[in-house]
Amino acid sequence: MKTTSPLPLALDRIGLAATLLLPLFLTHVRIMSEIMMDVLAVGLLARSACGLGWGWARLPWVRIALLWWGWQSFCSIPGVGIGGGNAFGQALLAVRFPLMAAALQNWTLRDARPRQWMAALLVGCCLYISLQILVQAVFGYNLFGIPRFPDGTLTGPYAHPRAAAPLSRLLLPSLMLGCAWAAKRAGRGSFFAMSGLAIGAVAIMVLAGQRIPMALTLLGIALCAFLYRPMRPAAWAAAAALPVLVLLARIFSPGSFRHLVLLAEHQLAHFGQSPYGAIFTRALVMARAHPITGMGYDAFRHGCRDPRFFHGLSWFNSLPDGGGAAVCVQHAHNHYLQALTNSGLPGLVLFIAMVVAWLAALWPREGAHRAWRIGLFAAIFVHEWPIASSSDLLNLPLGGWAFLLLGVGLAEAASVRRTPPSLYADKPSSKND
């Protein structure tokens, strides 16, 4: 929104700065990313009161998100939930995540130029993390002098192997942007250019050596190829190259190979007795005891050690005691199990409705920058894929990356809806850009 008034103009500048700094701080300096998210959430409310208006609050996805937040907050009230005042406070503060995404969609990224800057920053972060992984694979140390993790896996720019999860989300829109460029500029060589990009993306994820991010990347590439016809041959080429890349990882990064193949095979063959199977069992046992309101924010962390839940499930091949206290971690490692244990079946239904509303709003219909929008849609799709282990929904940095990509995708989708269709009527190639 254009304005010349001092306060709205100052808010707009602060909001834009926070938006563009957010991906940099999510990559490094986590505490600053928290501050940028808070600035955007509070800034949206202030800017709405200073002329922007409150129309964004009537968007379907925002309404459902507020219902989900409100129900989870109710379930976290001391006496209803088990986490006390701290859990209730955390539940109330969780609203900053959807508010941040709404701020990007309806305020700071409404104009084309900031969206272009954000696209460049996201691609830059993707390339930076990929470069750090590649350097560590070749030389044994990343650019900061940090060696491989003790188990042999690669850590990218970090001290621990946590680069693969955000990279699996960032790779999809970055890859699609590269494929769109190849479709327009490479001519007859577009197949080779796209194939090189797709194989390179898969190769980086193989080197990263994390099972779930690797699987989600493959799922995301398949979804992108389904929605973007020019990329389909390149996706097949990447699929054909995958076994070769895994075998090469066995030579150049044995730790990555061990995680991707050997450990994955063992856990899938004995899922019920694996740590993931034990967490799954404990979450369902807890949810069965509190099916309506759950146990409040951070329910798994607060309730996992209760001996009442130390048993298995009759229909599941789990440990007799469900793993006891040894399985207890900070969260349920799945967003849907997290919603269920935090806020019961109503909370799970609201969470599913919110995800569906996100995907409906992100759907990449025809128009400008469709390939980029397909990549953003795929990133959120795989982030909320239900059959996967995941970090806490509202934990940084991965939760921040997800809501940042959500906000960017919503802003791109909104820009297409605001553009008259006639502007694209004489550009039949726009569906592939």
Side-chain angles (χ1 to χ4, degrees):
M1 171 178 286
K2 302 294 183 181
T3 180
T4 57
S5 301
L7 180 56
L9 184 60
L11 289 172
D12 289 345
R13 289 175 176 173
I14 293 171
L16 180 59
T19 298
L20 299 179
L21 287 171
L22 184 55
L24 303 179
F25 288 140
L26 284 169
T27 305
H28 291 294
V29 198
R30 172 178 169 176
I31 185 62
M32 291 302 298
S33 63
E34 289 264 16
I35 294 173
M36 295 303 104
M37 289 182 60
D38 293 342
V39 167
L40 286 167
V42 175
L44 174 65
L45 301 179
R47 190 64 179 86
S48 298
C50 294
L52 182 66
W54 302 90
W56 56 269
R58 295 191 292 272
L59 294 172
W61 80 262
V62 175
R63 290 182 173 183
I64 297 173
L66 292 176
L67 285 173
W68 164 78
W69 166 71
W71 177 251
Q72 182 173 247
S73 298
F74 169 77
C75 295
S76 304
I77 295 173
V80 180
I82 65 171
N86 181 63
F88 181 54
Q90 290 294 320
L92 292 177
L93 291 175
V95 73
R96 70 189 190 277
F97 284 84
L99 283 181
M100 184 268 283
L104 301 186
Q105 177 188 12
N106 301 281
W107 176 31
T108 61
L109 295 183
R110 281 180 60 91
D111 296 334
R113 184 60 62 84
R115 292 198 303 272
Q116 292 170 359
W117 294 339
M118 177 57 74
L121 286 168
L122 291 176
V123 173
C125 291
C126 177
L127 293 175
Y128 165 74
I129 296 173
S130 300
L131 174 64
Q132 289 270 32
I133 290 174
L134 184 60
V135 168
Q136 197 175 49
V138 174
F139 299 104
Y141 295 85
N142 65 18
L143 295 176
F144 302 131
I146 299 173
R148 297 168 182 259
F149 204 60
D151 64 1
T153 53
L154 303 174
T155 66
Y158 308 112
H160 298 83
R162 61 180 180 88
L167 185 59
S168 66
R169 279 66 164 175
L170 290 168
L171 266 175
L172 297 173
S174 301
L175 173 62
M176 292 308 296
L177 198 60
C179 288
W181 178 90
K184 281 187 173 181
R185 307 292 172 82
R188 294 183 178 180
S190 62
F191 165 72
F192 298 101
M194 289 188 196
S195 296
L197 290 169
I199 293 172
V202 174
I204 287 293
M205 293 307 300
V206 169
L207 284 175
Q210 299 299 305
R211 301 174 301 281
I212 297 301
M214 178 69 209
L216 293 180
T217 299
L218 296 177
L219 174 63
I221 290 175
L223 177 59
C224 289
F226 175 77
L227 295 173
Y228 188 69
R229 185 182 297 271
M231 185 191 168
R232 292 176 189 175
W236 284 113
L242 178 60
V244 177
L245 295 172
V246 172
L247 289 176
L248 289 174
R250 186 173 188 175
I251 299 172
F252 296 103
S253 184
S256 300
F257 177 83
R258 185 165 52 251
H259 273 257
L260 281 177
V261 179
L262 302 181
L263 185 56
E265 180 184 13
H266 175 77
Q267 289 185 339
L268 288 174
H270 307 88
F271 179 74
Q273 289 77 42
S274 72
Y276 292 112
I279 292 171
F280 171 80
T281 299
R282 183 63 49 81
L284 289 188
V285 169
M286 292 171 60
R288 189 168 61 183
H290 300 270
I292 304 302
T293 60
M295 300 171 69
Y297 193 88
D298 269 351
F300 197 86
R301 181 172 66 178
H302 295 301
C304 179
R305 297 181 182 277
D306 190 328
R308 293 180 300 161
F309 305 133
F310 287 10
H311 59 84
L313 298 167
S314 59
W315 51 268
F316 186 63
N317 184 28
S318 55
L319 298 169
D321 65 348
V327 307
C328 293
V329 288
Q330 291 187 340
H331 55 85
H333 280 69
N334 180 277
H335 293 166
Y336 299 86
L337 289 177
Q338 182 181 352
L340 181 62
T341 54
N342 282 6
S343 49
L345 288 171
L348 175 61
V349 170
L350 287 171
F351 178 73
I352 293 173
M354 180 174 66
V355 172
V356 170
W358 288 347
L359 295 176
L362 289 169
W363 181 255
R365 62 183 186 176
E366 303 296 335
H369 313 301
R370 184 167 183 262
W372 173 246
R373 290 184 286 113
I374 287 173
L376 292 166
F377 173 85
I380 299 304
F381 183 90
V382 301
H383 185 74
E384 298 302 346
W385 182 249
I387 310 173
S389 173
S390 58
S391 68
D392 189 297
L393 174 69
L394 304 178
N395 193 31
L396 295 183
L398 187 57
W401 280 118
F403 277 89
L404 171 61
L405 291 171
L406 172 65
V408 173
L410 291 169
E412 292 285 357
S415 72
V416 173
R417 287 193 295 270
R418 289 193 298 266
T419 304
S422 60
L423 292 182
Y424 301 101
D426 60 344
K427 297 181 181 179
S429 63
S430 64
K431 66 180 181 180
N432 294 331
D433 66 0

